[in-house]
């Protein structure tokens, strides 16, 4: 561990996940001395229990399914996946839950890493309880950034702790596939883990309280993902709540509000997230422990001129890439305020304003088919008061999609603002569409006029030609 004699820094960051690392990177690049405090593994949730392990599990699943729908390969890949090899692949991507490489990166940018639990101890002060029990206080001349992320939120079912349920952490780090798996929830974690473990040998039952899957996306996204999961063998029950859960002799029993009794080897609750702010000393600066932290667009916590909340803890967009974006904005804002020689560029899309959190948040759900979206759905745009029109295209009509795999099924939607003739939102559902969404993000974030998009020529034959089909449909209807 790199350590200086002084415990005073320009900036102190609590949490060394991707968000905290990026805040530290930006403040160090601006010449500000920076300390970063971490109680678990440097690299955080994303590196060890979320983004990387989940996608390492899913990539072989999606590749295998593409191969099974490709002439010349279908016969060669008729057998099941090698589950042990997939899990070993996952372990490589988590660096076997060791953070040596991430620690070296922190040291390489010139930040000082403190292992231990960091808690606010009044304005501009962070108390660190180290693994050996020692306590050290760090003070910040300019800013403290809370980057502690979020954790899985479990429902208040009696005796749930004794059941030893899976959360997203156990689902991404399990050493073997359960024979039977109940997944409670219909959001991103639920459908991705249902996709992965069903393909790796588990018999999955998905219990969804709402009417369908992926409720925050366009309705057709959840419908297409549900159809594929059902075809793969999963049992999806919508409009269903879990009333009780017990475990006896290793078997989990879930009882639904309809009185159904479902047995499994494991049960995963993917029912939301809660901020990791319950024990970080918020009460010492007049904030409520366990709360989400409201911020302005420079990520400064409301009512505090030195405290920043970046990433999941501010509840703006609970996505790693969006948290890293916020970190870049926050780092620039901290540096600008520390310099004090010019006002912040706080106007929308300015250097110190996280405007994309409101208007251009991209997300990819790595199911089969993939679902990808950015900006507003049709319903969201209408609720926001925009006069819009939805333009839909069947992706199977695009030549590049037909070449991508046999029997390609997918759909695209573009939500056009009829007043300004710009795109408010885009949704793609289909195999491989995750790689399309950045083009849509540029169109939405850049507020590119529809008439200019005619001059952005998609290469033939690629799935990107869907853009031409969308524009043609908008023009002709």
């Amino acid at each position: 561990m790199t350590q200086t004699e002084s415990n005073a820094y320009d900036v102190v960051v609590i949490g060394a996940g991707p968000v905290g690392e990026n805040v530290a990177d930006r403040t160090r690049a601006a010449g500000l001395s920076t300390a970063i405090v971490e109680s678990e593994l440097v690299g955080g949730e994303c590196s060890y229990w979320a983004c990387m392990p989940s996608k390492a599990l899913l990539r072989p699943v999606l590749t295998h399914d593409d191969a099974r729908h490709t002439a010349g390969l279908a016969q060669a890949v008729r057998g099941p996946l090698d589950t042990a090899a997939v899990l070993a692949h996952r372990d490589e991507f988590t660096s076997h839950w060791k953070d040596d490489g991430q620690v070296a990166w922190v040291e390489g940018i010139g930040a000082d890493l403190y292992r231990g639990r960091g808690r606010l101890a009044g304005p501009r002060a962070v108390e660190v309880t180290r693994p050996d029990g020692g306590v050290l206080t760090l003070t910040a001349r300019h800013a403290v950034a809370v980057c502690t992320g979020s954790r899985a939120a479990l429902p208040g079912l009696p005796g749930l702790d004794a059941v030893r349920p899976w959360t997203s952490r156990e689902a991404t780090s399990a050493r073997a596939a359960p024979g039977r798996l109940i997944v409670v929830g219909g959001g991103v974690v639920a459908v991705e883990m249902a996709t992965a473990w069903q393909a790796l040998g588990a018999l999955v039952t998905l219990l969804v309280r709402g009417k369908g899957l992926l409720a925050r996306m366009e309705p057709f996204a959840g419908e297409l993902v549900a159809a594929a999961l059902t075809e793969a063998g999963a049992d999806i029950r919508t409009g269903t709540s879990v009333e009780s859960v017990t475990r006896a002799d290793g078997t989990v029993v879930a009882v639904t509000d309809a009185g159904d009794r479902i047995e499994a080897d494991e049960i995963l609750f993917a029912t939301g997230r809660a901020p990791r702010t319950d024990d970080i000393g918020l009460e010492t600066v007049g904030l409520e422990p366990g709360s989400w932290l409201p911020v302005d667009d420079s990520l400064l916590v409301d009512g505090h001129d030195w405290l920043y909340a970046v990433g999941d803890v501010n509840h703006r967009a609970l996505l790693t890439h969006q948290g890293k974006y916020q970190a870049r904005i926050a780092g620039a804002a901290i540096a600008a305020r520390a310099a004090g020689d010019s006002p912040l560029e706080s106007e929308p899309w300015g250097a110190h304003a996280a405007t994309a959190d409101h208007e251009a948040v991209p997300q990819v759900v790595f199911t089969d088919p993939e679902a990808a979206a950015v900006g507003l759905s049709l319903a969201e745009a209408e609720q926001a008061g925009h006069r819009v029109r939805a333009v839909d295209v069947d992706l199977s009509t695009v030549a590049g999609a037909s070449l991508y795999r046999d029997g390609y099924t997918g759909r695209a939607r573009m939500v056009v603002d009829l007043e300004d003739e710009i795109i408010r939102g885009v949704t793609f559902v289909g195999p491989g569409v995750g790689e399309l969404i950045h083009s849509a993000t540029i169109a939405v974030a850049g507020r590119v006029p529809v008439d200019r998009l005619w001059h952005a020529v998609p290469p033939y034959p690629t799935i990107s030609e869907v853009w031409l089909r969308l524009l043609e449909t908008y023009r002709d209807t």
Side-chain angles (χ1 to χ4, degrees):
M1 177 181 72
T2 303
Q3 189 171 352
T4 62
E5 293 181 4
S6 173
N7 295 329
Y9 292 85
D10 293 322
V11 180
V12 178
V13 180
I14 307 176
V19 174
E21 288 177 325
N22 274 267
V23 172
D25 183 46
R26 292 297 83 212
T27 56
R28 283 298 302 130
L32 299 176
S33 62
T34 302
I36 188 165
V37 183
E38 177 54 53
S39 61
E40 293 188 284
L41 295 175
V42 176
E45 197 81 10
C46 176
S47 298
Y48 306 104
W49 300 287
C51 318
M52 294 307 292
S54 66
K55 278 54 188 182
L57 290 173
L58 286 159
R59 184 66 246 155
V61 172
L62 303 183
T63 303
H64 183 247
D65 202 59
D66 285 342
R68 291 194 305 112
H69 291 84
T70 302
L73 282 175
Q75 293 300 315
V77 294
R78 292 183 64 180
L81 286 164
D82 183 339
T83 299
V86 173
L87 296 180
H89 171 75
R90 181 270 319 271
D91 293 350
E92 288 293 324
F93 273 90
T94 60
S95 300
H96 299 271
W97 290 273
K98 296 179 181 178
D99 63 1
D100 298 10
Q102 301 267 13
V103 170
W105 182 89
V106 170
E107 293 175 342
I109 65 170
D112 288 355
L113 172 65
Y114 290 86
R115 296 277 195 179
R117 183 165 297 281
R119 300 182 80 256
L120 293 168
R124 293 182 173 83
V126 175
E127 186 178 87
V128 182
T129 302
R130 294 178 290 193
D132 63 5
V135 178
L136 177 68
T137 298
L138 307 175
T139 58
R141 284 181 283 269
H142 296 295
V144 174
V146 175
C147 308
T148 49
S150 64
R151 57 177 172 78
L154 291 171
L157 293 172
L160 186 59
D161 286 347
V163 175
R164 304 184 304 281
W166 277 10
T167 67
S168 52
R169 282 198 169 197
E170 289 78 19
T172 57
S173 62
R175 310 310 305 171
R180 300 162 297 172
L181 174 64
I182 298 170
V183 178
V184 183
V188 176
V189 172
V191 296
E192 286 191 346
M193 290 298 92
T195 298
W197 290 113
Q198 179 74 33
L200 293 172
L203 181 60
V204 172
T205 301
L206 201 58
L207 305 179
V208 186
R209 179 180 295 179
K211 296 179 181 179
L213 306 181
L214 300 175
R216 296 187 178 183
M217 286 187 160
E218 298 282 8
F220 64 82
E223 291 165 5
L224 288 170
V225 170
L229 277 169
T230 300
E231 183 180 355
D235 178 8
I236 302 175
R237 307 186 190 188
T238 58
T240 300
S241 296
V242 177
E243 296 293 308
S244 67
V245 182
T246 56
R247 185 189 287 269
D249 299 324
T251 297
V252 174
V253 178
V255 178
T256 72
D257 53 351
D260 294 331
R261 175 187 169 94
I262 306 168
E263 295 187 354
D265 300 290
E266 301 291 350
I267 183 167
L268 163 63
F269 281 90
T271 49
R273 307 289 295 178
R276 290 183 180 273
T277 60
D278 50 317
D279 187 28
I280 63 167
L282 292 183
E283 68 280 2
T284 70
V285 293
L287 297 169
E288 184 176 348
S291 64
W292 302 102
L293 299 177
V295 297
D296 66 13
D297 276 357
S298 72
L299 292 310
L300 194 66
V301 175
D302 293 353
H304 297 74
D305 63 1
W306 56 274
L307 182 63
Y308 294 74
V310 193
D312 282 11
V313 290
N314 61 41
H315 207 232
R316 287 163 69 103
L318 278 65
L319 297 160
T320 295
H321 50 271
Q322 210 67 21
K324 292 165 70 173
Y325 160 72
Q326 292 176 12
R328 296 190 291 271
I329 299 294
I334 291 168
R337 287 189 172 113
D341 52 7
S342 59
L344 262 63
E345 298 177 32
S346 56
E347 71 281 357
W349 307 110
H352 308 118
T355 312
D357 285 352
H358 310 299
E359 299 195 31
V361 175
Q363 182 172 22
V364 179
V365 186
F366 291 86
T367 44
D368 184 16
E370 292 177 352
V374 64
L376 302 177
S377 67
L378 175 61
E380 288 170 338
E382 291 175 338
Q383 289 165 7
H386 301 298
R387 190 167 71 88
V388 294
R389 191 174 114 212
V391 180
D392 292 328
V393 166
D394 181 346
L395 264 169
S396 68
T397 64
V398 177
S402 299
L403 288 167
Y404 188 90
R405 60 185 271 179
D406 299 336
Y408 191 105
T409 299
R411 185 172 170 185
R413 169 169 287 180
M414 178 175 72
V415 178
V416 181
D417 187 311
L418 299 176
E419 299 289 343
D420 298 328
E421 288 264 297
I422 60 172
I423 297 172
R424 292 287 178 183
V426 179
T427 299
F428 300 124
V429 182
V433 299
E435 297 300 334
L436 288 182
I437 201 61
H438 192 56
S439 59
T441 302
I442 293 170
V444 173
R447 301 173 68 88
V448 180
V450 170
D451 59 3
R452 176 59 61 88
L453 285 173
W454 279 104
H455 300 282
V457 183
Y460 180 86
T462 65
I463 305 176
S464 294
E465 265 207 310
V466 68
W467 279 107
L468 183 55
R469 302 285 90 81
L470 287 166
L471 293 168
E472 289 171 338
T473 303
Y474 177 68
R475 177 196 61 192
D476 296 340
T477 56

